[in-house]
């Protein structure tokens, strides 16, 4: 029987978390590269290119794929014959591994975990505690899966208690469009069917830990009902035309994973959890021989792409006017240059509270742009760490007040805006620009200087001023209120249906 030492578990978890912060699973890169080759939508192809370029940069530079370095989830299957040489509990050992990983000086990871979630919401500063799931199994080893799940994709998790006669396929196809693009497609959907409410959710999360193999399943043919369902859902979800980053396109999901469990005769629980473009998980086994060091993948598995900016319009943020903004077209790619402010949930809440009290804000937003971002701390010579966008819809509730009371001209964020925000943008002749979720390190290379202007106590949620050079964004809501997240999927769903019915090729 194996004796597992405390230090071996701690260091293995820490090393795995560092590993998955900058290495995508090779199966994800391989399948995303194939999706890039197939993609006919220019906007979606551009987004996938940024994700692939960012991924290779992170693999080479050992920096996080996404600024949201996730909430850690760990699945442990502990053999019943295992002995422990440890003073800490299993959960305490896992949390010490998380602490080491997130405070590693060569690759600092963003601390995103808040204690007292319904109260003070105070950052724990080291990303602990993790969510730990333990299962006792036969044998003398410890199997471990370490995952880091981004908040944007976790926020799109869905659960329903269907009637036994309801269609699971119909529920999924009805639900996926309601998730928007905040989960950063293309990614995976994990589905749990059966058990109880909490069991279904756990299975949906566990399903995301499996390798992408849908093309192999399609090629050899389904061998059971769940594989039949996977194939049907894979095709039908992609036929929705949502596409990369919700811009409209051929690939919304790279795979559909399903786990099931016996359930009560009166129930049909179903859970669905998406995995984002920064899909992060590692699998290893402790057998008593020491800590596990994962082998780095070969960079040959990454396509060598360059980002073409030749057709993009350059914008000077320091001199841009409302009249110039009115000429920007939905779907147009811009390159931002000049001074860009930042702010997200906590900063917006504090600012709107100040405005409601009639207080002057510490920053002048007149004719300025704000970037919804919480960057990773810099290391070595970096100006800022990976700094990709956060989900913009969380700021919708603040948008009208910010536009009407501060002189703000535009916003930069991830994914779509809701109806209220779009109306506010239109009414104020403002604009919303979308940066690609899953390209955080690529974006950070466009940031040439950074300083905190206000709310320093909020940490990564403080208001910064970035000096940017050729930061790529897409016009997602123009000054007239046209949203590409509404027009793009609708257009590409129609194209896909027309091609399916008429046998005609889909043209960009």
């Amino acid at each position: 029987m194996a004796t597992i030492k405390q230090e071996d578990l701690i260091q293995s978890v820490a090393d795995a978390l560092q590993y998955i912060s900058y290495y995508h699973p090779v199966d994800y890169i391989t399948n995303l590269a194939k999706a890039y080759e197939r993609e006919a939508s220019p906007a979606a192809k551009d987004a996938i290119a940024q994700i692939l370029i960012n991924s290779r940069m992170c693999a080479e530079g050992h920096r996080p794929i996404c600024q949201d370095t996730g909430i850690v989830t760990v699945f442990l299957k502990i053999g019943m014959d295992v002995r422990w040489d440890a003073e800490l509990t299993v959960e305490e050992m896992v949390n010490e591994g998380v602490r080491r990983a997130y405070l590693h000086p060569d690759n600092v990871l963003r601390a995103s975990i808040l204690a007292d979630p319904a109260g003070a919401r105070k950052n724990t500063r080291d990303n602990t505690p993790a969510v730990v799931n333990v299962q006792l199994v036969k044998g003398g080893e410890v199997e471990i899966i370490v995952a880091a799940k981004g908040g944007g994709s976790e926020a799109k998790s869905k659960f329903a208690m269907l009637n036994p006669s309801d269609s699971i396929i119909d529920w999924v196809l009805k639900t996926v469009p309601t998730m928007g693009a905040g989960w950063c497609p293309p990614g995976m959907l994990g589905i749990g069917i059966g058990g109880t409410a909490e069991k279904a959710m756990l299975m949906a999360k566990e399903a995301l830990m499996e390798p992408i193999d849908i093309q192999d399943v399609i090629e050899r043919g389904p061998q059971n009902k769940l594989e039949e369902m996977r194939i049907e859902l894979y095709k039908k979800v992609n036929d929705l035309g949502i596409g990369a980053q919700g811009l409209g396109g051929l690939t919304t999901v790279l795979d559909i994973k399903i786990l099931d469990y016996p359930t009560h005769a009166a129930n049909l629980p179903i859970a669905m959890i998406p995995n984002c473009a920064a899909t992060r998980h590692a699998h290893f086994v402790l057998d008593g021989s020491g800590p596990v060091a994962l082998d780095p993948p070969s960079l040959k598995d990454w396509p060598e792409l360059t980002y073409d900016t030749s057709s993009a319009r350059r914008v000077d943020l320091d001199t841009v006017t409302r009249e110039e903004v009115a000429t920007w077209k939905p779907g147009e790619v811009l390159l931002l240059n000049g001074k860009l402010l930042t702010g997200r949930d906590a900063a917006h809440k504090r600012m709107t509270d100040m405005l409601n009290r009639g207080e002057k804000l510490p920053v002048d937003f007149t004719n300025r742009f704000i970037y919804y971002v919480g960057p990773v701390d810099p290391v070595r010579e970096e100006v800022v760490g990976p700094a990709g966008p956060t989900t913009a819809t969380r700021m919708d509730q603040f948008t009208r007040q910010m536009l009407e009371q501060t002189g703000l001209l535009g916003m930069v964020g991830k994914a779509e805006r809701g109806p209220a925000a779009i109306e506010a943008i239109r009414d104020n002749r403002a604009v919303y620009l979308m940066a690609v979720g899953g390209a955080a390190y690529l974006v950070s290379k466009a940031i040439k200087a950074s300083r905190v202007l206000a709310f320093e106590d909020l940490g990564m949620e403080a208001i910064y001023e970035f000096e940017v050079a050729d930061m790529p964004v897409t016009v997602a809501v123009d000054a007239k209120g046209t949203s590409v997240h509404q027009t793009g999927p609708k257009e590409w769903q129609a194209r896909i249906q027309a091609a399916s019915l008429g046998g005609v090729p889909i043209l960009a």
Side-chain angles (χ1 to χ4, degrees), residues 38-293:
R38 292 192 304 267
E39 188 55 67
S41 162
K45 198 174 185 77
D46 176 89
I48 295 174
Q50 289 192 49
I51 294 169
L52 287 168
I53 293 167
N54 179 77
S55 179
R56 187 182 180 95
M57 289 172 62
C58 294
E60 292 173 334
H62 286 194
R63 289 295 273 142
I65 293 164
C66 181
Q67 81 288 338
D68 183 351
T69 49
I71 182 169
V72 176
T73 300
V74 179
F75 297 93
L76 298 107
K77 291 184 178 180
I78 300 176
M80 294 174 68
D81 295 332
V82 164
R83 296 178 62 89
W84 292 95
D85 180 6
E87 296 178 356
L88 302 177
T89 66
V90 170
E91 191 164 348
E92 288 170 340
M93 285 185 275
V94 168
N95 284 327
E96 179 56 32
V98 173
R99 189 173 293 110
R100 278 189 201 177
Y102 279 73
L103 299 178
H104 196 295
D106 291 334
N107 182 40
V108 179
L109 305 180
R110 197 183 81 182
S112 302
I113 303 307
L114 307 182
D116 190 15
R121 295 180 67 83
K122 185 177 180 181
N123 198 302
T124 64
R125 300 294 182 182
D126 58 11
N127 227 57
T128 64
V131 177
V132 182
N133 299 280
V134 177
Q135 183 179 358
L136 293 178
V137 298
K138 293 180 179 180
E141 299 177 331
V142 179
E143 297 181 30
I144 302 174
I145 299 174
V146 173
K149 188 69 159 52
S153 61
E154 190 73 359
K156 303 302 181 179
S157 302
K158 302 294 181 182
F159 172 80
M161 190 65 78
L162 302 181
N163 292 319
S165 60
D166 289 343
S167 167
I168 291 171
I169 299 288
D170 289 348
W171 179 83
V172 172
L173 295 177
K174 179 182 69 175
T175 303
V176 168
T178 70
M179 291 159 52
W183 58 284
C184 292
M188 296 165 61
L189 294 178
I191 297 175
I193 303 171
T196 53
E198 79 281 3
K199 179 64 175 179
M201 292 298 288
L202 185 60
M203 289 190 294
K205 181 66 67 68
E206 285 182 292
L208 293 173
M209 305 299 112
E210 297 180 356
I212 297 173
D213 65 351
I214 192 67
Q215 299 302 331
D216 294 335
V217 174
I218 292 172
E219 185 175 344
R220 66 164 165 77
Q223 296 179 343
N224 52 55
K225 283 291 184 181
L226 288 187
E227 289 189 347
E228 289 178 7
M229 187 181 297
R230 284 179 60 198
I231 293 172
E232 183 177 357
L233 282 173
Y234 171 78
K235 293 179 177 178
K236 289 183 175 179
V237 169
N238 282 325
D239 285 350
L240 294 172
I242 294 168
Q245 303 291 302
L247 295 170
L250 302 181
T251 301
T252 302
V253 291
L254 298 175
D255 204 344
I256 303 279
K257 295 295 187 181
I258 305 175
L259 293 176
D260 68 355
Y261 195 84
T263 192
H264 191 283
N267 301 145
L268 181 53
I270 180 166
M272 181 165 61
I273 302 178
N275 222 1
C276 64
T279 180
R280 292 166 293 209
H281 53 89
H283 307 231
F284 57 93
V285 175
L286 292 176
D287 60 7
S289 61
V292 174

Side-chain angles (χ1 to χ4, degrees), residues 332-396:
E332 183 178 6
V333 176
L334 307 177
L335 299 174
L336 302 184
N337 293 269
K339 293 181 174 61
L340 176 65
L341 300 172
T342 79
R344 44 179 287 162
D345 309 64
H348 276 77
K349 178 64 168 62
R350 188 174 292 184
M351 286 190 292
T352 53
D353 285 347
M354 292 176 69
L355 290 171
N356 292 337
R357 294 193 297 265
E359 298 173 7
K360 184 179 179 180
L361 297 183
V363 177
D364 184 1
F365 287 91
T366 305
N367 291 330
R368 302 292 298 272
F369 277 70
I370 191 167
Y371 181 27
Y372 301 149
V373 62
V376 176
D377 289 340
V379 298
R380 297 181 292 278
E381 75 287 351
E382 289 180 344
V383 169
V384 67
T390 197
T391 306
T393 50
R394 297 203 313 276
M395 267 52 73
D396 282 5

